[in-house]
Amino acid sequence: MRLGKRQLALLRGVGPTSAVVVPDGTTRRLCDLGLMKAHGGEDGSFAAVTPAGLRALADAVDAGKIGLFKMPDKN
């Protein structure tokens, strides 16, 4: 599965222990792909990363598409 930069950035930012409180188009697409799951009733008021999302994130890191950690810039 090929994910875009925004999708990977969202998965990396949310991680396994957080949730997106106000889902947007990117979040809804990741839910459609099974990489995130909407919670909170019919409106899906928040979304969290699924195990498949974590696997996709790990695959992207292994492929060198993204880094998990970014060191702060030195001023």
Side-chain angles (χ1 to χ4, degrees), residues 6-57:
R6 282 186 257 174
Q7 291 171 324
L8 289 170
L10 180 68
L11 286 173
R12 181 180 60 201
V14 174
T17 59
S18 300
V20 174
V21 177
V22 182
D24 60 3
T26 303
T27 306
R28 284 189 289 279
R29 177 66 180 141
L30 289 169
C31 288
D32 291 344
L33 293 171
L35 303 178
M36 294 188 82
K37 182 178 179 183
H39 301 275
E42 293 179 21
D43 62 349
S45 57
F46 68 96
V49 179
T50 64
L54 292 175
R55 283 190 289 278
L57 186 59

